[in-house]
């Protein structure tokens, strides 16, 4: 939840263009350590671009992004920022030629210098945490989409990040698999992990968020509590968005 200390993520006047298209326009946003912020808005509103600027998967063109006191920019300090920030994507991006266990263990070995023995032990604990310990020796192709996404979450956690970014983590899943992934994310929210999530799951957003950030056309139109956003928003565009998605 929000505290008195310096925000762990600060975005000031952030802009991003793709050619003539202005994907982000003068974004100002702060996220406190341990806070869960959910980004909502229509497709193409800039939500995914915004979170991808936090670890420089997208190079922003204007303004500043600061993570835990360090400006996010190309150069030698970028690696230290990326060790603090892990991302879970729509696509699972697992290595097909590695077992589930080694998919989770590989990052800490390569990036943090852990031994395989130590990293595999950590990976087993994380697979148990996300509810798929019994799948450790299988390969990704042998898993359901929901199981693969839970491996993706375990892999992100293996790096012991301070911040987790989720870019529509359930959008590639069959409907019956969505709940199992959302349950894992809810559990993380209850453990005080700093999270930013892009999602179209409205009920989940309302349950898990400390704050809702509503975006449209590359701009932040509203920042509010879930209760205010879903029951009493005064923003005309937010109301239209909610009417469209909740009555679909």
């Amino acid at each position: 939840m929000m505290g008195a200390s310096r925000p762990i993520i600060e975005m000031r006047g952030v802009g991003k263009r793709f050619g003539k298209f202005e994907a982000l326009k003068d974004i100002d946003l702060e996220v406190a350590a341990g806070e869960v912020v959910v980004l909502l808005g229509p497709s193409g509103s800039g939500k995914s671009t915004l979170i991808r600027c936090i670890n420089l998967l997208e190079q922003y063109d204007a303004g500043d992004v600061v993570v835990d006191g360090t400006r996010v920019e190309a150069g030698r300090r970028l690696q230290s920022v990326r060790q603090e920030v892990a991302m879970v994507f729509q696509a699972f991006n697992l290595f097909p030629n590695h077992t589930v266990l080694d998919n989770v263990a590989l990052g800490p070995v390569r990036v943090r210098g852990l031994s395989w023995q130590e990293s595999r032990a950590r990976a087993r604990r994380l697979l148990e945490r996300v509810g798929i310990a019994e799948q450790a020796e299988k390969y990704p192709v042998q898993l359901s989409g929901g199981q693969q996404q839970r491996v993706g979450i375990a892999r992100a956690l293996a790096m012991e990040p301070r911040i987790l970014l989720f870019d529509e983590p359930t959008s590639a899943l069959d409907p019956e698999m969505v709940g199992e992934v959302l349950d894992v994310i809810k559990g993380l929210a209850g453990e005080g992990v700093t999270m930013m999530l892009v999602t179209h799951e409205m009920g989940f957003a309302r349950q898990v968020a400390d704050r809702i950030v509503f975006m449209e056309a590359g701009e932040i139109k509203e920042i509010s509590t879930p209760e205010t956003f879903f029951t009493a928003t005064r923003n005309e565009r937010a109301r239209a968005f909610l009417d469209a998605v909740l009555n679909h």
Side-chain angles (χ1 to χ4, degrees):
M1 300 292 288
M2 291 292 285
S5 60
R6 183 185 66 196
I8 195 168
I9 300 170
E10 300 170 81
M11 307 184 84
R12 307 187 201 103
V14 174
K16 171 65 181 176
R17 288 181 175 274
F18 295 100
K20 293 184 178 179
F21 177 67
E22 201 170 3
L24 296 177
K25 306 171 185 175
D26 200 25
I27 297 293
D28 290 320
L29 181 64
E30 294 185 348
V31 179
E35 189 179 16
V36 179
V37 173
V38 175
L39 282 72
L40 299 179
S43 296
S45 58
K47 306 180 300 294
S48 294
T49 301
L50 186 153
I51 64 168
R52 289 170 68 88
C53 287
I54 292 170
N55 59 357
L56 218 63
L57 290 178
E58 292 288 358
Q59 173 72 60
Y60 53 95
D61 303 317
D64 294 291
V65 178
V66 179
V67 171
D68 200 18
T70 299
R71 188 177 190 270
V72 180
E73 57 190 335
R76 59 186 176 83
R77 297 165 78 182
L78 180 58
Q79 190 60 37
S80 65
V81 170
R82 286 182 169 167
Q83 288 184 17
E84 301 230 341
V85 183
M87 188 170 228
V88 178
F89 300 90
Q90 298 177 40
F92 316 123
N93 294 340
L94 302 178
F95 297 112
N97 57 328
H98 287 284
T99 64
V100 164
L101 184 70
D102 284 352
N103 262 280
V104 177
L106 189 60
V109 171
R110 287 188 174 172
V111 177
R112 295 199 183 274
L114 265 66
S115 68
W116 271 108
Q117 182 179 8
E118 187 179 359
S119 193
R120 283 182 173 136
R122 178 191 291 177
R124 288 190 188 279
R125 292 193 298 271
L126 289 169
L127 289 172
E128 189 164 342
R129 183 174 172 185
V130 300
I132 51 171
E134 73 284 356
Q135 309 295 340
E137 303 306 328
K138 291 185 178 179
Y139 287 85
V141 71
Q142 298 173 284
L143 273 55
S144 71
Q147 289 171 329
Q148 289 188 57
Q149 191 59 292
R150 284 189 279 170
V151 176
I153 294 171
R155 182 177 60 181
L157 290 171
M159 299 300 291
E160 297 187 326
R162 297 194 63 199
I163 299 162
L164 270 176
L165 307 175
F166 293 87
D167 188 5
E168 299 192 21
T170 60
S171 66
L173 300 178
D174 293 333
E176 64 270 20
M177 297 176 184
V178 169
E180 64 186 67
V181 173
L182 296 183
D183 284 344
V184 170
I185 300 173
K186 284 180 197 172
L188 296 174
E191 295 174 21
V193 180
T194 304
M195 295 195 287
M196 293 185 69
L197 301 100
V198 176
T199 185
H200 291 291
E201 301 289 337
M202 295 297 123
F204 169 70
R206 189 168 183 172
Q207 282 184 308
V208 78
D210 293 317
R211 287 188 299 160
I212 300 289
V213 174
F214 175 71
M215 295 186 66
E216 187 186 54
E219 297 179 301
I220 292 176
K221 299 292 189 181
E222 179 175 353
I223 301 176
S224 58
T225 65
E227 187 65 22
T228 297
F229 182 77
F230 283 101
T231 65
T233 179
R234 296 182 178 182
N235 185 284
E236 185 179 332
R237 293 303 305 137
R239 280 203 306 271
F241 170 77
L242 287 170
D243 286 345
V245 296
L246 297 177
N247 298 321
H248 180 64

